[in-house]
Amino acid sequence: MPSRKFADGEVVMGRWPGSVLYYEVQVTSYDDVAHLYTVKYKDGTELALKESDIRSQSSFKHRKSQSSSSSPSRRSSSRSRSRSPGRPAKGRRRSASQSREHKEDKKKTIQETSLALPVLVLFKPSENNTKRYNGEPESTEKNATSCIILEQKLKPDLEIKRVLEQYSLRSRKDDKKKEEIYSEKKTFVAVKPIEKVSTKTKEMEFGGRIGTFTLIFFLPATVFYLLLMCKQDDPSLLNLPPLPALESLWDWRVFGVVLLWFFLQAAFYLLPIGKVVEGLPLSSGRRLQYRINGFYAFILTAAAVGVLLYFEFELHYLYDHLMQFAVSAAAFSLALSIYLYVRSLKAPEEELAPGGNSGYFIYDFFTGHELNPRIGSFDLKYFCELRPGLIGWVVINLAMLLAEMKIHNLSVPSLSMILVNSFQLLYVVDALWNEEAVLTTMDITHDGFGFMLAFGDLVWVPFVYSLQAFYLVGHPTTITWPVAAAITVLNCIGYYIFRSANSQKNNFRRNPADPKLANLKFISTATGKGLLVTGWWGFVRHPNYLGDIIMALAWSLPCGFNHILPYFYVIYFICLLVHREARDEHHCKQKYGLAWERYCQRVPYRIFPYIY
Ligand code: NDP
C-alpha cells in the first residue's frame, strides 16, 4: 500500500475544490482509511483533499521555470499571449494562410492552456478570486438581490474562463459564451458551494466516547425520573420517588399502540399529497428530494383522534399509562438506533454524517453514523424529525387536558391547561406548516441519524415537552386573566422572533434573490453562501434560539411557582441551545473561516443581546 506523500505540518499547494486554483495550505492530518489529507487554508478554512489535489511547492516552482524557458512552443505562445492569438484585429479578414496560421496558433493556445494553466494560476491568482476564496467579500456587504448567481454546473467552467480571460488565453467564441452567461439575470455568489468531504470525525462532541456512553443511560433515566416526579403529590428534588416494579413498566398492548402510531404516521408520510422539494446540496453535490406533507399528516391525525373521541374512546388512557408509553417508545427508539447503526456500516463513505464518523462504535451509535438513511425514498430521519414525536406531543397534551377535566370533574379545562395546550399546539402546527424549513437545520444537514435523534424525536420530545400539561393534571394551578394575558403576550413575542428569524434565514438560503429580502445585507463567504448581517441575523447570531427560549418560558409560567418541575423544560432548553449554538459556531467557523469571524465582529452577541 503506498504510504502518504505529505507529512503533517508540511506547507504545500492545495487545489480549491471545483476549481483549478491552488493555494498555500498546511497539512494538519491524514486519514489512512479514506486516503484524505485535512489541510488548513490561510483563512482558517479546513478541507479534506485527495493526494491528487495536493502538490509540493517545489514542483510548482519547477514547472514555472519550465514553462517560461524550455519549451519552444510555449515560448512562442508566450510571446503571442500579449496580443491574444485567438483574437485577430477587428474588421480584418483572414486569408487562407492566415486562417491556417490561426488554426496553428489556436492549437498552440489550447496546448498552452492545458499545460501552463495550473502554473499561471498558481503564481498569479486573480486578486478577486483570492479574496473571494479566502472568504473575503469583494465589497464587504451586498444587498440580497444584487449579486450574481451562477448555476453550479457552470461554475468549474466559469472559473477556468475567468482565469483564461485574465491571461488572454481565450478565444472570441469563449468571450461570447461568457457574455451570454453573465448577461443572464442570475443571482448569487460565483463560487461552487464547498462542503467538507465526509471523512473521519476528529473532534468529538458531547464529551466524546465517555460522554456519549453516559448519555445513552442518562437521557432515558431523566425521562423516567421526571415522569415519576410529576406523578408525586408533593414532588421534591431531594426525595427520590419510589421506583415502580419492573413488570408494571411494560405492557404489550401499549407497545402495540406505539407501533401502530409510528406506522400510521409512516403511512401518512407516504401519501402522494403535498409538494416534493429538494434539500440542500450534499457533499457530493447531489440533492435529496423530500415530500412536504407534515401538515396534512397532522390534519389526518386530528380527524382520526376526533373519530376516536366521537366513539367515546377514553384518551386519558394515555395519562393512566404514560410511563408504559414512554418505556415502549424508548424500547422502539433503541431498536431503531441499532438498526440504523447496523445499516450504516454498509453505507458509502460520502453518505456518512460529518459529525458521526469517528470510528468509535459508541460515539457513532449515539451521534448517528449515516447522514440520510433511507429505505427507497422513505427518509427515516426527516420522517422522525417532525411527525411521530411532534404530533404525538400534541395528542399527549390533549389527553392531559381530558384527564384534568375527568379527574377534577371540570366542565371546561383550567386556564393554565388551555394556555399550555394552545401555545404548544401553535408551536407544533407552525413546525409542520413550515416543514420545509427543517431541511436547512443542523439536524438534517450535519447530524447523522442515531440514538441521539431517534430517542430525542420519539421519546424526549413527546414525553418531556408535555411535562407542563402532565404536571397540571396532578397539580392544579389557578391563574388570573391579566396574568394569562401577560403570558400570552410573552409567547407571541417569542413566537414572532422565532418565526421571522427562521423564515428570513430559510428564504435567504433557498433564494437569496427573494424580493422580500431585498432590504437585507449580507457578507459573502468562500462557499458561495452569504451570511446575513442585518435583519434578525444582524441582531444576535441565533435570533431563532432567543425566540424559542422566550416561548419556553411562556409555556412554564402557567404552572405557577410552586415547583421547579414545570420549569425543567426552559432550564434544559437554555442549556441545549447554548450548547447547540457553540456547536454551530464551531461548524460555521470551519465552513466560513475569516468571513465568520467578520460576522462575529459585526454581530457580537450569540443569543441574548448585551448578555451572551
Ligand atoms: P439554525 O436554524 O439556527 O441554523 C444554523 C445555521 O444557519 C448555521 O449552521 C448556518 O448554516 C446558518 N446561518 C448562521 N448564521 C447565518 C447568517 N447570519 N445568515 C444566514 N445563515 C446563517 O439551526 P438549528 O437547526 O439549531 O435550529 C433550527 C430551529 O429549531 C431553531 O429555531 C431552534 O430554536 C429550533 N430547535 C428546537 C429544538 C427543540 O427541541 N424545540 C431543538 C433544536 C432546535 P449554513 O450557513 O450552512 O446554512
Side-chain angles (χ1 to χ4, degrees):
M1 217 177 70
S3 59
R4 59 186 287 187
K5 204 166 153 190
F6 305 103
D8 284 355
E10 195 173 338
V11 177
V12 290
M13 304 303 284
R15 191 163 77 88
W16 187 266
S19 80
V20 291
L21 302 178
Y22 281 78
Y23 292 99
E24 200 177 281
V25 294
Q26 187 168 36
V27 176
T28 55
S29 63
Y30 179 69
D31 184 338
D32 297 319
V33 183
H35 300 293
L36 291 170
Y37 288 87
T38 300
V39 297
K40 199 167 186 170
Y41 290 76
K42 281 187 171 169
D43 69 340
T45 309
E46 284 191 59
L47 291 177
L49 296 184
K50 288 189 225 145
E51 198 161 87
S52 56
D53 289 335
I54 302 178
R55 309 269 169 85
S56 68
Q57 286 187 312
S58 58
S59 80
F60 274 80
K61 278 169 197 152
H62 178 63
R63 291 187 66 169
K64 187 192 177 194
S65 60
Q66 264 186 355
S67 72
S68 59
S69 61
S70 59
S71 159
S73 72
R74 281 185 209 171
R75 265 205 310 273
S76 67
S77 292
S78 293
R79 270 200 313 275
S80 62
R81 201 181 299 145
S82 60
R83 41 176 277 266
S84 301
R87 282 195 285 181
K90 260 188 188 171
R92 228 174 57 193
R93 291 187 67 182
R94 289 191 193 116
S95 66
S97 65
Q98 271 178 322
S99 178
R100 258 199 313 278
E101 219 181 276
H102 171 71
K103 273 184 193 158
E104 286 295 318
D105 261 0
K106 214 171 167 186
K107 246 192 206 165
K108 279 182 196 164
T109 305
I110 291 163
Q111 199 184 0
E112 161 127 355
T113 306
S114 57
L115 285 172
L117 185 62
V119 181
L120 288 167
V121 168
L122 265 170
F123 286 93
K124 202 181 171 202
S126 126
E127 179 83 10
N128 284 346
N129 284 345
T130 315
K131 275 191 173 175
R132 198 164 41 232
Y133 281 127
N134 286 341
E136 296 175 36
E138 284 160 85
S139 59
T140 317
E141 286 168 11
K142 298 172 184 176
N143 269 359
T145 46
S146 66
C147 50
I148 302 167
I149 279 188
L150 298 178
E151 298 295 346
Q152 261 189 57
K153 56 182 176 196
L154 294 175
K155 280 169 195 158
D157 290 345
L158 280 174
E159 207 47 67
I160 293 167
K161 279 182 206 317
R162 225 177 281 125
V163 175
L164 294 180
E165 178 191 33
Q166 192 188 347
Y167 293 96
S168 299
L169 294 175
R170 66 193 188 282
S171 66
R172 280 171 68 83
K173 211 170 135 201
D174 285 343
D175 265 359
K176 218 173 159 203
K177 260 195 211 157
K178 182 178 163 288
E179 273 161 26
E180 280 162 18
I181 290 160
Y182 278 101
S183 67
E184 278 179 63
K185 207 169 180 304
K186 303 266 171 102
T187 41
F188 197 43
V189 190
V191 192
K192 184 176 188 257
I194 311 289
E195 297 288 339
K196 196 168 172 170
V197 178
S198 179
T199 181
K200 282 272 175 281
T201 307
K202 285 183 294 299
E203 288 172 42
M204 291 196 267
E205 300 171 304
F206 307 105
R209 281 178 286 169
I210 296 174
T212 47
F213 179 76
T214 312
L215 283 170
I216 289 171
F217 298 96
F218 180 74
L219 292 176
T222 308
V223 176
F224 302 130
Y225 172 75
L226 291 170
L227 295 183
L228 281 176
M229 288 287 276
C230 250
K231 272 272 186 186
Q232 304 299 304
D233 286 339
D234 186 17
S236 159
L237 289 181
L238 301 176
N239 290 339
L240 269 181
L243 288 176
L246 269 184
E247 57 275 15
S248 71
L249 293 175
W250 188 260
D251 183 334
W252 282 104
R253 205 168 29 165
V254 168
F255 185 65
V257 175
V258 169
L259 287 185
L260 187 69
W261 174 254
F262 187 86
F263 290 111
L264 179 74
Q265 291 303 325
F268 290 161
Y269 173 68
L270 288 172
L271 288 177
I273 48 173
K275 62 179 175 177
V276 175
V277 301
E278 286 192 325
L280 294 180
L282 302 172
S283 59
S284 60
R286 201 160 65 96
R287 283 168 182 257
L288 294 175
Q289 296 203 319
Y290 297 88
R291 185 172 289 284
I292 306 292
N293 64 6
F295 189 72
Y296 294 113
F298 177 77
I299 300 287
L300 289 171
T301 308
V305 171
V307 170
L308 285 180
L309 291 177
Y310 180 78
F311 287 106
E312 296 187 347
F313 176 83
E314 304 229 308
L315 205 59
H316 62 78
Y317 175 80
L318 268 169
Y319 170 77
D320 299 336
H321 296 85
L322 197 65
M323 183 62 102
Q324 290 171 335
F325 272 102
V327 171
S328 290
F332 181 75
S333 72
L334 180 65
L336 178 64
S337 314
I338 294 170
Y339 162 74
L340 290 167
Y341 184 76
V342 170
R343 62 164 275 156
S344 73
L345 296 176
K346 288 196 214 122
E349 182 77 16
E350 72 271 14
E351 288 181 12
L352 299 180
N357 188 18
S358 69
Y360 295 112
F361 159 67
I362 283 295
Y363 186 82
D364 295 346
F365 172 78
F366 179 83
T367 52
H369 200 33
E370 194 176 347
L371 186 60
N372 301 296
R374 286 186 161 208
I375 302 172
S377 63
F378 192 99
D379 192 298
L380 289 160
K381 181 168 72 169
Y382 171 69
F383 164 69
C384 288
E385 194 71 8
L386 290 188
R387 290 136 190 271
L390 220 58
I391 301 176
W393 169 19
V394 171
V395 176
I396 292 174
N397 271 355
L398 179 64
M400 298 303 152
L401 183 144
L402 296 171
E404 183 201 49
M405 288 172 69
K406 188 176 176 207
I407 291 169
H408 301 288
N409 220 359
L410 301 173
S411 54
V412 284
S414 68
L415 192 51
S416 298
M417 185 63 99
I418 291 174
L419 289 190
V420 168
N421 260 265
S422 322
F423 295 163
Q424 298 185 349
L425 177 67
L426 171 72
Y427 190 76
V428 172
V429 168
D430 172 90
L432 295 167
W433 183 259
N434 297 287
E435 190 180 11
E436 208 175 324
V438 82
L439 298 177
T440 58
T441 63
M442 248 162 85
D443 288 1
I444 298 292
T445 60
H446 178 268
D447 293 337
F449 195 27
F451 182 82
M452 177 175 76
L453 283 182
F455 185 83
D457 292 341
L458 303 178
V459 186
W460 191 271
V461 168
F463 295 96
V464 173
Y465 289 18
S466 58
L467 209 63
Q468 288 100 344
F470 188 34
Y471 175 86
L472 284 174
V473 180
H475 310 88
T477 308
T478 309
I479 53 167
T480 60
W481 281 100
V483 170
I487 297 173
T488 306
V489 169
L490 186 69
N491 190 66
C492 291
I493 293 171
Y495 175 73
Y496 175 71
I497 299 174
F498 163 85
R499 174 49 35 225
S500 39
N502 275 326
S503 297
Q504 227 168 51
K505 189 209 47 172
N506 191 46
N507 293 341
F508 180 66
R509 278 286 170 262
R510 293 215 157 260
N511 178 16
D514 189 338
K516 278 185 282 178
L517 306 173
N519 57 334
L520 294 183
K521 290 186 171 168
F522 66 90
I523 50 177
S524 315
T525 74
T527 65
K529 292 182 189 171
L531 289 171
L532 290 166
V533 289
T534 57
W536 282 113
W537 297 82
F539 179 55
V540 285
R541 300 209 289 274
H542 266 96
N544 48 354
Y545 290 1
L546 175 66
D548 227 340
I549 290 170
I550 294 173
M551 279 192 285
L553 180 64
W555 300 352
S556 302
L557 288 172
C559 301
F561 299 103
N562 286 339
H563 205 277
I564 197 169
L565 209 50
Y567 290 85
F568 172 82
Y569 176 69
V570 65
I571 295 166
Y572 138 81
F573 204 49
I574 291 173
C575 300
L576 173 92
L577 292 184
V578 165
H579 177 249
R580 196 173 168 96
E581 199 278 339
R583 287 178 69 211
D584 193 44
E585 286 266 325
H586 184 67
H587 299 148
C588 288
K589 172 83 185 76
Q590 281 185 333
K591 264 188 285 187
Y592 302 127
L594 207 60
W596 185 257
E597 278 175 20
R598 290 244 169 90
Y599 175 54
C600 294
Q601 277 166 8
R602 172 86 192 237
V603 186
Y605 294 101
R606 293 162 182 257
I607 301 177
F608 304 101
Y610 304 105
I611 300 173
Y612 177 74

